[in-house]
Structure formats: structure tokens, C-alpha cells
Amino acid sequence: MIGTIFNTCMILGGSILGSLFKKGMKEKYHEILMQALGLAVVALGLNTVAQHMPHSRYPVLFILSLAVGSVIGSFLDLDSRFDSLVSKHSNGQAVQGISTGILLFCIGTLSILGPVNAALNHDYTYLFTNGMLDGVTSTVLASGYGICIAACAPVLFCWQGSIYLFATLCAASISQSLLTELSIIGGILILASGINILGLKKISIMNLLPSLLIPPIGLLFL
């Protein structure tokens, strides 16, 4: 749980720091921080794919998973629904600021895969990276909404803690092949997140998230 604790503390620290800025963070500092973190996320995604791809027993499964998952995500219109929720709760009031923060901190590839990787492999890289991203995000949000953004920290702790507990309880039924396939897809999604952060191209991450559900189903028939 050390990764989740770190992630939670980064949100708390970022909220306190952001609330100290009366006029908000200057754009040039926000831009360079996001560029640095975007590059870090791209590197992490590439490294994850490169590490696990050679060990895949089903080299086309990740392609099938991304194709089917993206169709499911697009059919459910997950990306637009997420954007609508963020827009709906972003007019400067405390409750709306908290809602926006919860959506941004909890619904993301690193925030979902991080606790799983920590529980199964004792690898906290994803959670530490996510913590850095959330630290910057909470600072920016708190500079506009105030210290109320700190209320998102316990929500994130419960969210990631629940995923960690579930992954720990189901560890015996999770095969190495499944972990490898999930890691490949997760690495691609993390890479896509980095591309979005850098502003190179808008990739609908939310529409791609159902891709993570395909390998567990696919391996039942292989």
C-alpha cells in the first residue's frame, strides 16, 4: 500500500500548495511540468511494452483486445460521458471542484493498473508515477478551487485500496500469461496517456479502457 499512500500524500501536498497561490499557477510553470511528466509517462509505457512483449504466448491477443475494447468503449461512448461529467462539475464551486478531482484522480490507467501491479508484483512504479501526476493536477485544481481538493485524497485511498485488496484476494487465480497480456495493453494505454499529456494527439483513453477486460475472457478459450 506504500504506493497508494504516496499517491494520497501527493494529492494532499498539491492541494495545500495550490491553495497558497492566490492567482493560480503561472502558465509557463504548468506547461513545463506537464511536458516533463508527459515524457516520463511515454517512457514508462514504452518500457512496459518492451519488457512484456517478448514473453507473450499470444502475440496477437493485445491487437484483438485493443480492437474489440475500443469498439465497446466507443459504443458506450465512455470518453464523451467522462468529458460531460468533468464539464458538468467544473464551474468553480467547492462541491464541483471535488467531483472533478475525484474523476481525474480515480479514472485513469495508472490509477487502476497501479494497485494491481503493486499487489501482484510488489512493483510501485505506476503508483509513484501516478502520484507525481496527481501532485501536479491537484496543485493546479487547488489554485482555482481551493483547499477543498484535499477531500479527494481519502476517496482515492479507498478506490486504490479496494483494487489492491481485490487483486490480492484473486492473486491465486491470476496466471502469468494474463498478467503479461494485461501489462502489454496497460503499457500501450500508458503510452497513449503520455501522448495526450504532451498534446501530440488526442487519444480517447476512456474508450480504450474496456480493452483490459478482453484478455481474461480470451484466455478462457485459448
Side-chain angles (χ1 to χ4, degrees):
M1 292 290 288
I2 186 173
T4 294
I5 293 173
F6 173 78
N7 203 159
T8 303
C9 290
M10 287 299 292
I11 292 177
L12 289 173
S15 299
I16 294 172
L17 180 63
S19 65
L20 297 177
F21 290 105
K22 301 299 182 181
K23 298 181 180 180
M25 180 180 291
K26 290 185 178 179
E27 181 62 29
K28 64 177 181 179
Y29 297 123
H30 174 259
E31 182 177 352
I32 194 62
L33 281 172
M34 294 307 291
Q35 287 177 356
L37 289 171
L39 288 171
V41 173
V42 166
L44 178 61
L46 288 173
N47 182 64
T48 301
V49 175
Q51 268 190 331
H52 293 91
M53 187 74 77
H55 304 291
S56 175
R57 296 173 56 190
Y58 312 99
V60 298
L61 181 56
F62 82 94
I63 300 175
L64 177 65
S65 298
L66 287 170
V68 174
S70 63
V71 171
I72 294 174
S74 297
F75 176 76
L76 297 175
D77 203 14
L78 297 179
D79 197 66
S80 295
R81 291 176 188 273
F82 177 73
D83 288 343
S84 296
L85 282 173
V86 173
S87 300
K88 182 179 179 181
H89 297 290
S90 298
N91 64 7
Q93 299 178 13
V95 174
Q96 295 163 338
I98 293 172
S99 300
T100 300
I102 290 173
L103 288 170
L104 293 175
F105 298 141
C106 295
I107 308 300
T109 306
L110 292 172
S111 190
I112 294 172
L113 287 181
V116 176
N117 206 33
L120 300 180
N121 301 320
H122 303 290
D123 183 355
Y124 306 101
T125 305
Y126 291 171
L127 287 176
F128 286 148
T129 303
N130 195 58
M132 295 297 294
L133 286 168
D134 286 350
V136 174
T137 303
S138 60
T139 300
V140 175
L141 285 176
S143 68
Y145 292 112
I147 194 62
C148 66
I149 298 299
C152 299
V155 177
L156 175 90
F157 182 84
C158 293
W159 167 256
Q160 290 189 354
S162 299
I163 296 175
Y164 180 91
L165 179 61
F166 178 79
T168 302
L169 294 175
C170 298
S173 61
I174 300 177
S175 67
Q176 186 58 47
S177 293
L178 176 58
L179 279 178
T180 298
E181 300 306 324
L182 288 177
S183 295
I184 293 172
I185 297 171
I188 293 172
L189 295 183
I190 291 170
L191 173 61
S193 297
I195 292 173
N196 278 349
I197 292 172
L198 291 172
L200 299 178
K201 182 174 179 60
K202 177 65 171 68
I203 300 176
S204 302
I205 303 295
M206 292 301 297
N207 285 349
L208 291 172
L209 278 181
S211 301
L212 294 169
L213 301 175
I214 307 304
I217 299 174
L219 288 180
L220 291 177
F221 303 96
L222 295 176

